[in-house]
Amino acid sequence: MNKETVPKKKYWMCQSSGSKVSVHTDIQTIFLKTSGNHTHLCDPEDLKIKMFCKNVKQRVILETTPIMKIYEEEVVKSQLSTKTLATIPMAREMRFLYVFGLLPDRKRSTYQQLFKVLEDLAMSMNRTFKPNRILSDFKPRLIPVVASEVITLQHPYRAILVLS
């Protein structure tokens, strides 16, 4: 797993159960240091599955294409072996959280109540309500609510997509 925490370094950790090995590289993936002793080879099939899931999730976030269509396109594009195809998660097993809301009006107070309900629901599931994309068919009353209620969005005005 690679997580970039500092722009100048990448930190890699072995994903095998019980392994505590980590490697530090620069952003060009040039080795800097290691901790622990890595005694087993990486499973290339596991890497392919992780890349497949990452690609599907990234496209789901960025596109409005139906999830099943994205999943099917990524299966074809990945050219995975039959052994690997048998082990990838089915589209219905991949977790994508989304909400469809049919609201009675377009008032600011209604949007505030919706976000309050979603925040409470997330807390009841021991999660944090942090949307990174909001689709709406009405923007003027929604923008101020998103700007004040959903502070996790870095650029709330860019994160709201208006459906025509």
Side-chain angles (χ1 to χ4, degrees), residues 10-124:
K10 290 183 182 179
Y11 301 92
W12 304 78
M13 295 170 40
C14 180
Q15 295 296 296
S16 293
S17 179
S19 178
K20 298 186 188 309
V21 176
S22 66
V23 173
H24 299 203
T25 66
D26 66 8
I27 56 173
Q28 284 84 30
T29 319
I30 296 174
F31 175 80
L32 298 174
K33 101 179 200 187
T34 186
S35 67
N37 188 13
H38 201 251
T39 59
H40 56 273
L41 295 175
C42 178
D43 185 359
E45 299 300 317
D46 286 345
L47 290 176
K48 289 178 184 176
I49 292 170
K50 286 179 185 178
M51 287 304 297
F52 169 80
C53 292
K54 180 181 174 185
N55 291 342
V56 170
K57 288 180 180 182
Q58 189 66 26
R59 285 189 59 197
V60 166
I61 290 168
L62 296 175
E63 299 176 19
T64 57
T65 308
I67 294 172
M68 286 303 297
K69 178 109 172 104
I70 290 172
Y71 183 89
E72 290 169 2
E73 289 173 358
E74 287 299 319
V75 166
V76 171
K77 190 165 73 171
S78 66
Q79 298 181 341
L80 299 171
S81 68
T82 53
K83 174 187 167 194
T84 306
L85 280 173
T87 60
I88 62 171
M90 300 298 290
R92 67 178 175 269
E93 296 169 346
M94 297 181 81
R95 294 183 180 224
F96 305 104
L97 301 177
Y98 49 90
V99 174
F100 293 99
L102 183 58
L103 304 177
D105 55 46
R106 296 175 172 178
K107 295 179 182 173
R108 179 184 177 127
S109 60
T110 304
Y111 289 117
Q112 288 172 322
Q113 180 63 29
L114 172 65
F115 286 116
K116 175 74 174 119
V117 168
L118 292 173
E119 287 171 0
D120 291 346
L121 181 61
M123 283 193 335
S124 74

